[in-house]
Every structure is written in structure tokens, then in C-alpha cells.
Amino acid sequence: MSAPPTTPVLRTVSSMRRFRSTLPGSVSLVPTMGMLHSGHMSLIRLAAEQTDSIVISIYANPTQLATAEERASYPATLEADVAALERLDDELRRDGAARIKAVFAPTDEEMYPYLDSTDVASGLGAFVTISPLAGRLEGADQPAHFNGVATVCLKLFNAVKPHKAYFGEKDFQQTVVIRRLVQDFLVDTDVVVGETVREDDGLALSSRNAYLGSRRRKVATVLWRALCAAAKIYQDGETRRGEILACSLTEAKREQSLQEQMNGCDRARFEILYLELSDLDSMEDVERVNPRKGALLSGAIRMLPLEAATGAENSGLRNGADWIRLIDSIVLRPTRGL
Ligand SMILES: Nc1ncnc2c1ncn2[C@@H]1O[C@H](COP(=O)(O)OP(=O)(O)OP(=O)(O)O)[C@@H](O)[C@H]1O
Ligand SMILES: CC(C)(CO)[C@@H](O)C(=O)[O-]
Ligand code: BAL
């Protein structure tokens, strides 16, 4: 019996382009930063339903990660990621044919030939800016983030030339930024958005969860709980910004003060970065939700490093020493017909 085919891992734009020219039928791209989990896999499954050939990109884009610390916190898991993709592909095979055709994992030199790796903020070379969208919500305290995301996605689209590209709703603002990029730069790719995959207790899957450890993991559901509380009063008929956000904030602050009152070796403290109600297209503040349109309810928290990790507990990657930024969102769907 012959050995199963291995997925090619392409490290240069030229090898990606050569390979792309051999792919039959419709081609999809699923961009990721690696450390693959079931959220990524659900996007790939969706791509397999809708297209013939799938390319996964794995690239921890330095220009969207604000600090050297964040850049260093992306462990290289390429081998494990490729193995996980091969297992998934065994399931996805149709008529004996692989659906996942290649992994595109370019080097920094390929993607940013002018970038000084010690100072990515200097921004040498060409960058996309998308204003004012990129400065709102996630962009407010990370001003270069979405310029980095849009820039790398444009490069990925140009290298892979996909018919469709897949993104997760968890990063809702990112999907709006990418749609705007595609529209304004006349990119010939359809943007498809997949639902957020969650743990049983509601926590959105995220590569960063691996850093939480068990104690912070339990408390991290607070963001989802805060969003759900507000979504419920919207479903019950509330449309005012003040009331909806106050409901979220009360839930988050209740958990926050509970943690503050506990001992250092028992608690998991966090900061509330924002809880927001925004227009689904512009990301501008919404004062009253139009029940025919709906709105975006989103938030971010930052889990503080563990103060005192006990030897017995699972304290996550890097022993609980990192600040972990977590984001989540709920789309408040229209409650009335158009
Ligand atoms: N839980 C999820 N469900 C569905 N899609 C997801 C989920 N988490 C991430 N994605 C999507 O997968 C793609 C790649 O995301 P990325 O590699 O940054 O993973 P991540 O888990 O969001 O990582 P990080 O924790 O660093 O933000 C993005 O389009 C993202 O929205
Ligand atoms: C889309 C993306 C792969 C661009 O680097 C990244 O922002 C992500 O993983 O969501
Ligand atoms: N998953 C969103 C991109 C980021 O974490 O930088």
C-alpha cells in the first residue's frame, strides 16, 4: 500500500503561485496565525462544502501584533498544525481526492522584505490603511492592528488568488475590515464569514486560551456572560444603548469585584477593556438599536497574570505569566422584518 500523500507546505510566494496554477476548480483560502483549534477547523469544513480546493495560510503576522511580547507569544506549532490538517483532510476527502491542497506558511522575509524585525512599527514598505474603521473598537488601543491585518490579507490574496476567503465571526470587526479591503481595492475574492465555535460553557475558542490555565479559564467566561445578559434584554425589547451596555457592565463588574475580594492564590483578576454597541457596517456607536437592522455587541477583557500559581494547578502556557487579551461578540439580529 502506498503512503498517504503529505500536504505540501509552501514557504515562498513564488512556490505558492506555481502550485496555485495547478489547482483545478474553485479555490478557497483560510487565513490563520497557527495553533489551530476547532474554530479554524469549522472554517475549513465550510470551505470544503463550498469549494474544490482549500489552501490554509499559517502566518503569525508581525505587523498586527502590537508588542514584541505578543509576537513572541505565538509558539511555532507548524508541524502539529499540518498533522491536524491531514487528519481533517482524511475526513473531508471526496471521491478519494484531498480537499486541503496546501499550507502556505511564508517567512517574514517573503511577506515583508523591508521590515526590520526589531522595529515592526517603523512600517517600511507599503501598508493598507482603512479609516476610520480601523481605529474603532479593537483599533482604539491598538492603532496599527487592522492596518497590519488588511496589509497581510491583501498580500495573502495576491499570492493565493482565492475565489473565496473564510473568516470567523468571533473577530467581527476584522470581517468588516476585510470586506472593506476587498471592496475598495477591487479584489476578486468573496469573503465568507463562519459562526463562532464555543466551549460548552460559552467561551469562544481562541489560540490564546492555551495561555489561561484552569483558574483564569473558569473566570474567562465572564465576557460571554456579560454579552449574553445584554443580548437577552435586547431580545426582550430593549433598544437603548445605555440600558443594554449597563446590563453587560453590571455582569462583568460583579465578577470583577468577586475576584478582587479573593486571595491571590485563588483569584483570577481581569480588566474590562470595552463593552460596546456598534453599527454592523461602520462600527460607529449606536444610540438606539434599529430592530430592523440589528447591531453588534462586542467586548474585550484582559486577564492579568496569575499572582500566585500553586504548584499543583495547571497554569497554562508560560506558567500564567502573560496578560491575555480576549475578545468576543454577539450579533443582535433584527427582531422585526425589513
Ligand atoms: N472560535 C472560533 N470560531 C470560528 N472561527 C474562529 C474562532 N477563533 C478564531 N476563528 C477564526 O479563525 C481565523 C484565524 O484566527 P486566529 O488564527 O487569529 O485564531 P484565534 O484563535 O482568533 O487566535 P488569537 O487567540 O490569537 O486571536 C480568523 O478568521 C478567526 O476569526
Ligand atoms: C486574518 C489573520 C490570519 C491575518 O493575519 C488574523 O488576523 C487572524 O488570524 O484572525
Ligand atoms: N484573531 C484575531 C487576530 C489577532 O489575534 O491578532
Side-chain angles (χ1 to χ4, degrees):
M1 225 170 69
S2 57
T6 49
T7 311
V9 178
L10 308 168
R11 306 304 304 251
T12 62
V13 173
S14 57
S15 60
M16 181 65 241
R17 287 200 165 129
R18 271 197 306 277
F19 188 81
R20 169 67 179 88
S21 68
T22 68
L23 290 177
S26 55
V27 175
S28 52
L29 170 67
V30 183
T32 81
M33 303 214 295
M35 288 186 87
L36 300 183
H37 52 65
S38 310
H40 301 116
M41 299 308 179
S42 77
L43 295 180
I44 298 170
R45 285 177 199 279
L46 190 57
E49 281 167 22
Q50 300 181 347
T51 58
D52 301 309
S53 301
I54 310 168
V55 175
I56 322 290
S57 65
I58 297 185
Y59 181 61
N61 174 35
T63 64
Q64 74 187 75
L65 298 168
T67 60
E69 211 175 44
E70 266 200 66
R71 292 192 285 280
S73 78
Y74 252 89
T77 54
L78 187 59
E79 239 176 76
D81 287 342
V82 174
L85 291 173
E86 286 176 349
R87 285 195 298 277
L88 176 63
D89 200 40
D90 281 343
E91 260 180 61
L92 298 176
R93 266 163 210 277
R94 246 183 254 155
D95 309 324
R99 316 292 292 169
I100 300 177
K101 303 292 182 183
V103 169
F104 180 41
T107 59
D108 285 344
E109 292 71 27
E110 281 288 311
M111 295 303 268
Y112 296 103
Y114 315 113
L115 212 63
D116 174 351
S117 61
T118 58
D119 180 18
V120 292
S122 72
L124 292 178
F127 282 83
V128 177
T129 58
I130 300 187
S131 21
L133 200 53
R136 303 200 200 283
L137 300 176
E138 281 295 285
D141 65 343
Q142 310 176 94
H145 177 71
F146 285 118
N147 294 343
V149 169
T151 300
V152 82
C153 285
L154 187 57
K155 288 175 190 247
L156 293 170
F157 292 164
N158 281 331
V160 180
K161 293 263 187 274
H163 295 97
K164 291 179 186 284
Y166 292 77
F167 296 88
E169 191 177 83
K170 183 197 78 178
D171 300 286
F172 190 92
Q173 188 180 7
Q174 172 167 280
T175 66
V176 178
V177 164
I178 301 297
R179 282 193 201 283
R180 185 66 61 82
L181 169 80
V182 161
Q183 181 187 313
D184 288 4
F185 284 88
L186 314 178
V187 179
D188 197 9
T189 296
D190 290 339
V191 176
V192 183
V193 176
E195 278 175 20
T196 304
V197 177
R198 300 181 179 280
E199 304 275 11
D200 289 344
D201 62 3
L203 183 72
L205 297 191
S206 168
S207 309
R208 290 186 168 99
N209 294 352
Y211 291 87
L212 291 172
S214 51
R215 199 192 318 169
R216 292 192 294 178
R217 163 68 186 79
K218 260 189 231 140
V219 177
T221 55
V222 60
L223 180 53
W224 172 239
R225 285 183 272 132
L227 297 176
C228 284
K232 171 147 193 340
I233 66 165
Y234 167 73
Q235 288 304 332
D236 293 344
E238 182 57 76
T239 57
R240 291 166 295 173
R241 173 188 183 78
E243 302 300 313
I244 290 175
L245 291 181
C247 179
S248 262
L249 201 59
T250 304
E251 179 67 25
K253 286 203 156 159
R254 197 182 53 77
E255 180 69 62
Q256 200 172 33
S257 66
L258 213 72
Q259 295 300 319
E260 292 293 341
Q261 286 160 31
M262 290 162 77
N263 292 325
C265 57
D266 293 323
R267 68 187 176 188
R269 293 159 75 212
F270 63 91
E271 290 172 356
I272 302 161
L273 298 177
Y274 67 85
L275 290 164
E276 265 302 348
L277 186 65
S278 319
D279 180 80
L280 289 163
D281 302 312
S282 67
M283 302 283 107
E284 278 173 22
D285 292 355
V286 163
E287 288 308 322
R288 208 177 246 281
V289 184
N290 174 349
R292 289 191 169 77
K293 181 170 188 192
L296 178 71
L297 191 58
S298 68
I301 60 170
R302 191 156 57 169
M303 303 297 303
L304 271 59
L306 278 186
E307 287 157 272
T310 62
E313 78 178 290
N314 161 12
S315 48
L317 286 183
R318 293 172 41 129
N319 234 2
D322 292 314
W323 297 75
I324 311 297
R325 185 188 173 99
L326 298 174
I327 66 173
D328 205 349
S329 57
I330 294 183
V331 176
L332 301 181
R333 311 272 172 203
T335 52
R336 276 195 228 148
L338 288 170

